Amino acid sequence: MITSSQYLQDQLLSQFPYRPLSFPCFTWGERPVFPRKLFPRNAVKNKCLGIHFDSTTCRRNACGRARIRSQVSGELTEVEEQKQKQKQKQGPLVNRAYPFHEIEPKWQEYWEKNKTFRTPDEIDTSKPKFYVLDMFPYPSGAGLHVGHPLGYTATDILARFKRMQGFNVLHPMGWDAFGLPAEQYAIETGTHPKITTLRNINRFRTQLKSLGFSYDWDREISTVEPEYYKWTQWIFLQLFKRGLAYQAEVPVNWCPALGTVLANEEVIDGVSERGGHPVIRKPMRQWMLKITEYADRLLEDLDDLEWPESVKEMQRNWIGRSEGAELKFRVVVGDRMERNLELTVFTTRPDTIFGATYLVVAPEHPLLSAFVSEAQHGDVEEYKDVASRKSDLERTELQKEKTGVFSGSFAINPANGEAIPIWVADYVLGSYGTGAIMAVPAHDMRDHEFALKYDIPIHWVVTPDGESSPDSKVAYSGEGIIINSSDLTSGLDITGLPSSEAASSVTEWAEKTGNGKKKVNYKLRDWLFARQRYWGEPIPIVFFDETGESVPLSETDLPLLLPELEDFTPTGTGEPPLSKAEAWVRIRDQSSGKIGRRETSTMPQWAGSCWYYLRFMDPKNSKDIVSKEKEMYWSPVDVYVGGAEHAVLHLLYSRFWHKVLYDIGVVSTKEPFKCVINQGIILGEVQYTAYRDADGNYVSAEAADSLGEYTQEVVTEEKVTKSGEFFVLKDNPNVRLTARAYKMSKSRGNVVNPDDVVSVYGADSLRLYEMFMGPFRDSKTWSTSGIEGVHRFLARTWRLLIGSPSTSGTFKGGTVATDAEPSLEQLRSLHKCNRGDRRDTVQHWNFCNDGVH
């Protein structure tokens, strides 16, 4: 029998036909409760199964036990240093709480040798299926940290649970291995990214196997293998053939230092997330994927998904569907001379057209150079340069101060014939709507702030009830009754109408007079699908010199292999590194004899992760992306677990590709993931900070800010105690400290390596501790003393089943379990223990409520 906590975990779960996401806390109050049939009948003599897990004591009574230390508190304490020296004199520690160092390697070796968790290619399809999947990791050089096993343990529990219920279970693992970090590391060290990537994958695989997860390693895939990215390229060709992949001149986040285009989420405060290099906005010809073609379906199908409502709402906001109108404004120069030019604006509030007192165009608007006046040309160019260094997020942040510059030109409001100024401002994005808006400062907060700053007129055209006088200091953005909105010349009169009715009237008037039309708009932009870097999937497109036409590679020529390059550094010109592979770039078409050149940009890292869940179903298939029979059986993924940071882009892109594959008959379901669950973050250990004044005396945290000058000092846990709601110094309880847990990072030195934890406590202790930490979706703080408590709990359980160790520290074989009937006294003790605080049981179970049955 498996006599580790893995066995206990499996057996315990088999007794409880619920829907576990986290390993259940099996407690009533602080007293663990186990199914009777798992434990020996005579064990009840040992104080109700001999187990009493007091988590509070475990957290506080940490002195003198083995510890996994982060680098937050630099040196060892005197007590720890003394104990360490004593252990060195005594030699290596032989006695262990229980022999996890024998149990875990033994069974992990057995599982691997016998392929215990392998899902056969040929299965009994009459049985129910359960496909549980982790968001596969990027294999970084840092390896796993203790945050990774949180989600992996949860999915492992579900996989084991479903196997015991008789399901066919698919539980695979792979690697999202292309990407900028590996390439940047290669540039810095001179090591080819393939070498570092394979080395990192090997490390990740070893770490995961040491944790005892029940993955089917025969289905392992990596996005950098040609056998895999052949099908990524194949999907791109299907997109291209259907007009969903195209090239366009678009403003992009260009990082000269990294030599690549960055996505908006990779730019923070005008610099690259990786390396902190300056980023500018510049127009470049790029590959785009027409995800906007699927905007309505991506929005509508969210309603049928068993996802957290917060994730669905984030996707709805990202898609950002809005109904309104496009209205046309004729452009005039400073002397009121009309130009043969119109600016089209999109608005969700056509009912406020009479309140438009100026227009705003984005700095990157394609028509800006055509109407900016000569006098304002210098100011506009300077403003455009400053705006190009800002990310879209910075530009649209509501709290930021609004800035802009006058273009020197005007536009005619079609509703009343008034000439209103055209301003250039970065709070309008060229990628949203038409890149131009009609500004109604009386009824929009951003426009109101801008108008006050630049002394632009404010006209009120909506009141809540049609009678009260509006407050000129605050914009009223709600609906109401329209006022001051009629013009005999234009023939438009909406005064007295409710906002919704007035909006319809304006749209109808605009369509009849040729001044606009009804329009549905989306915040969602087409997907920028090219990166000027080396380490990515080659794009299977050829450009012919004579015609300039782009021609897809034949599917029989896939995969288009990534050429080996010795110099994969950025060119600095915007040309991708692949342009250096001249023999690879130049190509002659065999059928026509035409000379052409290959596309030298590569696909973004998102590409390989958009469809990997399908390949796991049929990873060795060389003829098809996935066989129809296997796809129809395993689709969709039943439970998909990963970080909340992927709630929008990865999930949205995967859904888009899946819908395209559904349309061409490759997949049988409209959605790829039935249930998505986001795990919380595991923060580093709590860091305690004390404050000293200029004289070096301790002061309480709440008084530090009033000092003006003070120093901070990190205090070790042994010097801290809790007093009421606050943490204070043990030696001086009047000195209050600040206690805060930070996200694990190398810079803070608070990263906890799971290898260290496993070597001291064993994999079962780590897995069980992470499931005991708290609600799965919440952020949690790592505590070494907490894992020590779980480790003692497993040791007591082990001794309960096996018996106490001998004086030499070894345990006998077999168990102390018997099939004898319990005595009346034993039954009474067992029932008394089990009764405990039964009413509180529900509060301790931490299960998924997202459709896992």
Side-chain angles (χ1 to χ4, degrees):
M1 61 177 288
I2 299 175
T3 50
S4 69
S5 72
Q6 183 61 68
Y7 169 78
L8 295 177
Q9 178 175 303
D10 289 347
Q11 292 299 310
L12 289 169
L13 281 169
S14 69
Q15 309 301 322
F16 292 86
Y18 298 103
R19 305 178 296 175
L21 169 61
S22 298
F23 185 86
C25 192
F26 290 107
T27 61
W28 289 327
E30 290 288 348
R31 199 174 294 274
V33 177
F34 303 95
R36 170 184 160 189
K37 61 194 286 188
L38 174 64
F39 290 89
R41 299 174 187 270
N42 59 356
V44 291
K45 291 181 179 179
N46 189 11
K47 295 183 180 179
C48 290
L49 303 181
I51 301 171
H52 183 80
F53 177 57
D54 186 339
S55 58
T56 305
T57 304
C58 293
R59 285 194 296 271
R60 294 179 180 172
N61 188 21
C63 183
R65 294 189 294 273
R67 298 179 62 80
I68 300 297
R69 299 186 59 84
S70 69
Q71 300 171 17
V72 173
S73 56
E75 301 179 354
L76 295 171
T77 65
E78 293 181 6
V79 175
E80 289 171 328
E81 191 172 358
Q82 185 177 357
K83 288 183 177 291
Q84 190 173 20
K85 290 179 180 178
Q86 187 176 356
K87 287 179 181 179
Q88 290 172 352
K89 290 180 182 179
Q90 293 174 346
L93 184 64
V94 189
N95 295 335
R96 297 178 186 263
Y98 76 100
F100 64 85
H101 61 296
E102 298 174 3
I103 301 166
E104 292 173 359
K106 171 186 175 181
W107 289 105
Q108 288 167 15
E109 182 181 352
Y110 175 89
W111 294 335
E112 184 163 2
K113 180 179 179 181
N114 292 276
K115 298 186 181 297
T116 305
F117 306 116
R118 178 177 177 270
T119 303
D121 288 332
E122 302 299 327
I123 57 175
D124 180 2
T125 56
S126 65
K127 295 170 64 176
K129 65 92 179 179
F130 187 71
Y131 186 179
V132 56
L133 183 64
D134 298 293
M135 293 184 184
F136 67 168
Y138 173 77
S140 66
L144 294 175
H145 60 72
V146 291
H148 287 98
L150 177 64
Y152 302 159
T153 303
T155 57
D156 189 58
I157 290 169
L158 284 172
R160 293 173 182 270
F161 178 55
K162 289 297 183 178
R163 287 191 192 102
M164 288 187 286
Q165 286 189 321
F167 284 68
N168 289 324
V169 172
L170 184 58
H171 187 39
M173 175 52 71
W175 318 105
D176 187 13
F178 273 129
L180 186 60
E183 183 167 347
Q184 194 60 25
Y185 178 80
I187 293 170
E188 294 167 0
T189 63
T191 309
H192 196 281
K194 184 175 182 179
I195 296 174
T196 56
T197 297
L198 293 179
R199 183 171 63 221
N200 294 343
I201 286 175
N202 289 335
R203 184 184 181 195
F204 264 67
R205 186 191 302 111
T206 300
Q207 288 182 299
L208 288 175
K209 287 187 176 181
S210 75
L211 291 169
F213 296 127
S214 62
Y215 292 124
D216 179 358
W217 287 106
D218 283 1
R219 293 177 181 263
E220 179 183 3
I221 59 176
S222 170
T223 57
V224 301
E225 296 300 328
E227 296 80 9
Y228 181 86
Y229 68 70
K230 165 187 177 178
W231 297 106
T232 308
Q233 293 172 334
W234 180 86
I235 295 174
F236 178 86
L237 291 182
Q238 311 315 306
L239 293 163
F240 180 80
K241 292 173 184 177
R242 286 157 179 79
L244 296 172
Y246 65 97
Q247 283 193 299
E249 192 89 5
V250 293
V252 297
N253 300 312
W254 171 252
C255 179
L258 297 179
T260 189
V261 171
L262 300 178
N264 287 334
E265 65 275 7
E266 296 172 310
V267 181
I268 300 174
D269 297 330
V271 299
S272 62
E273 182 182 25
R274 181 174 178 82
H277 304 294
V279 176
I280 61 173
R281 299 280 287 179
K282 81 180 224 180
M284 291 183 68
R285 191 161 182 79
Q286 296 285 355
W287 282 101
M288 310 290 292
L289 297 188
K290 200 175 290 184
I291 189 173
T292 51
E293 194 84 1
Y294 283 73
D296 281 327
R297 288 169 61 182
L298 289 168
L299 195 62
E300 293 164 4
D301 291 346
L302 282 171
D303 296 335
D304 299 327
L305 296 177
E306 298 175 22
W307 292 15
E309 194 56 41
S310 59
V311 173
K312 293 199 284 187
E313 193 60 27
M314 287 172 70
Q315 292 215 356
R316 291 187 187 104
N317 291 337
W318 190 268
I319 296 169
R321 186 181 191 276
S322 54
E323 295 184 4
E326 282 187 351
L327 301 173
K328 298 177 182 179
F329 289 72
R330 299 191 314 277
V331 176
V332 298
V333 294
D335 56 3
R336 301 298 177 96
M337 292 288 293
E338 288 195 23
R339 294 189 179 182
N340 188 24
L341 190 66
E342 287 182 335
L343 274 179
T344 301
V345 305
F346 173 78
T347 177
T348 58
R349 294 292 303 273
D351 56 308
T352 62
I353 188 171
F354 283 93
T357 57
Y358 64 104
L359 298 188
V360 180
V361 297
E364 61 273 17
H365 196 287
L367 296 180
L368 177 57
S369 59
F371 61 78
V372 65
S373 71
E374 186 175 346
Q376 291 296 106
H377 183 268
D379 292 341
V380 170
E381 288 300 312
E382 183 180 349
Y383 186 81
K384 286 170 61 178
D385 182 62
V386 172
S388 71
R389 293 182 171 85
K390 298 179 182 179
S391 69
D392 289 355
L393 188 62
E394 290 177 276
R395 288 171 55 177
T396 55
E397 187 179 359
L398 292 177
Q399 284 73 30
K400 85 175 188 76
E401 183 182 2
K402 307 299 180 289
T403 62
V405 61
F406 178 46
S407 70
S409 294
F410 296 81
I412 301 299
N413 186 331
N416 55 20
E418 292 183 3
I420 57 178
I422 304 174
W423 284 75
V424 184
D426 63 7
Y427 73 87
V428 174
L429 301 177
S431 58
Y432 179 68
T434 64
I437 65 165
M438 67 175 199
V440 185
H443 305 292
D444 182 271
M445 182 178 68
R446 294 181 309 171
D447 297 344
H448 190 265
E449 292 176 10
F450 193 91
L452 290 178
K453 180 175 180 178
Y454 293 104
D455 197 24
I456 300 173
I458 300 175
H459 294 167
W460 298 89
V461 293
V462 182
T463 62
D465 53 16
E467 297 179 3
S468 58
S469 300
D471 183 355
S472 60
K473 297 180 181 179
V474 181
Y476 173 68
S477 58
E479 294 189 351
I481 304 300
I482 304 299
I483 59 174
N484 305 326
S485 298
S486 63
D487 185 82
L488 293 176
T489 303
S490 66
L492 181 61
D493 183 1
I494 54 174
T495 297
L497 296 178
S499 292
S500 57
E501 189 177 334
S504 298
S505 297
V506 171
T507 303
E508 291 175 7
W509 166 84
E511 290 178 336
K512 289 179 180 179
T513 59
N515 287 308
K517 62 181 179 180
K518 185 176 182 179
K519 180 73 174 179
V520 175
N521 203 30
Y522 300 89
K523 287 183 182 177
L524 180 68
R525 299 292 91 199
D526 280 345
W527 178 7
L528 177 61
F529 196 74
R531 297 289 186 270
Q532 283 62 53
R533 66 184 185 210
Y534 168 69
W535 194 233
E537 299 92 339
I539 296 176
I541 295 292
V542 174
F543 302 95
F544 287 119
D545 292 348
E546 294 180 3
T547 61
E549 64 177 321
S550 52
V551 178
L553 209 62
S554 170
E555 293 180 13
T556 59
D557 293 333
L558 300 179
L560 172 59
L561 298 177
L562 186 66
E564 295 287 340
L565 280 184
E566 292 184 4
D567 179 14
F568 37 78
T569 57
T571 62
T573 63
E575 281 292 312
L578 279 180
S579 62
K580 300 175 184 180
E582 295 181 4
W584 179 85
V585 172
R586 304 303 296 179
I587 183 175
R588 179 185 293 274
D589 184 62
Q590 295 180 355
S591 60
S592 65
K594 295 179 180 178
I595 301 296
R597 59 186 301 276
R598 298 189 192 278
E599 172 61 68
T600 53
S601 292
T602 53
M603 299 185 195
Q605 186 175 353
W606 303 107
S609 62
C610 276
W611 69 278
Y612 72 104
Y613 58 93
L614 290 173
R615 195 60 179 170
F616 277 137
M617 301 175 188
D618 197 9
K620 303 295 191 295
N621 193 331
S622 60
K623 296 181 179 180
D624 294 295
I625 187 171
V626 61
S627 77
K628 288 189 177 295
E629 295 78 13
K630 292 178 180 178
E631 186 278 326
M632 290 183 69
Y633 179 74
W634 287 113
S635 286
V637 176
D638 294 285
V639 177
Y640 192 35
V641 176
E645 65 272 18
H646 301 299
V648 175
L649 296 183
H650 162 61
L651 290 175
L652 197 63
Y653 294 157
S654 293
R655 295 180 62 221
F656 166 47
W657 276 30
H658 191 89
K659 290 182 182 301
V660 174
L661 294 175
Y662 175 78
D663 289 347
I664 64 177
V666 173
V667 298
S668 59
T669 62
K670 292 182 179 180
E671 291 287 338
F673 313 117
K674 180 181 179 182
C675 171
V676 169
I677 304 165
N678 297 133
Q679 67 199 54
I681 297 173
I682 293 184
L683 305 172
E685 292 213 46
V686 173
Q687 180 176 313
Y688 302 98
T689 305
Y691 301 85
R692 293 181 185 268
D693 60 20
D695 298 326
N697 300 315
Y698 281 121
V699 294
S700 275
E702 72 275 13
D705 288 337
S706 61
L707 294 177
E709 183 179 344
Y710 60 87
T711 57
Q712 298 183 21
E713 176 183 313
V714 176
V715 181
T716 58
E717 184 181 1
E718 290 75 15
K719 297 180 181 180
V720 178
T721 187
K722 193 170 186 182
S723 176
E725 297 181 1
F726 304 102
F727 291 93
V728 297
L729 287 173
K730 280 184 179 178
D731 296 339
N732 188 351
N734 293 322
V735 176
R736 189 184 301 174
L737 310 174
T738 57
R740 182 178 176 184
Y742 296 90
K743 188 176 181 179
M744 290 187 184
S745 67
K746 287 182 180 179
S747 60
R748 287 194 174 274
N750 63 348
V751 176
V752 178
N753 189 330
D755 296 348
D756 298 333
V757 179
V758 170
S759 67
V760 177
Y761 299 108
D764 285 334
S765 294
L766 174 61
R767 290 156 54 100
L768 192 56
Y769 168 64
E770 295 205 354
M771 296 296 96
F772 268 87
M773 290 181 76
F776 184 73
R777 296 184 180 89
D778 293 357
S779 295
K780 297 166 278 288
T781 303
W782 177 267
S783 170
T784 300
S785 57
I787 197 171
E788 289 165 352
V790 171
H791 185 65
R792 289 196 308 275
F793 162 69
L794 290 178
R796 290 171 183 168
T797 306
W798 173 264
R799 292 194 299 271
L800 173 66
L801 287 170
I802 305 302
S804 299
S806 65
T807 54
S808 64
T810 60
F811 291 86
K812 65 180 181 179
T815 72
V816 296
T818 72
D819 289 328
E821 287 296 321
S823 67
L824 184 61
E825 180 186 353
Q826 289 171 340
L827 281 174
R828 185 178 292 114
S829 298
L830 178 62
H831 293 165
K832 182 178 179 181
C833 174
N834 285 349
R835 183 179 61 212
D837 296 322
R838 187 179 298 271
R839 288 168 297 181
D840 297 332
T841 304
V842 175
Q843 299 176 14
H844 289 274
W845 289 85
N846 181 28
F847 286 145
C848 167
N849 292 314
D850 291 297
V852 185
H853 299 288

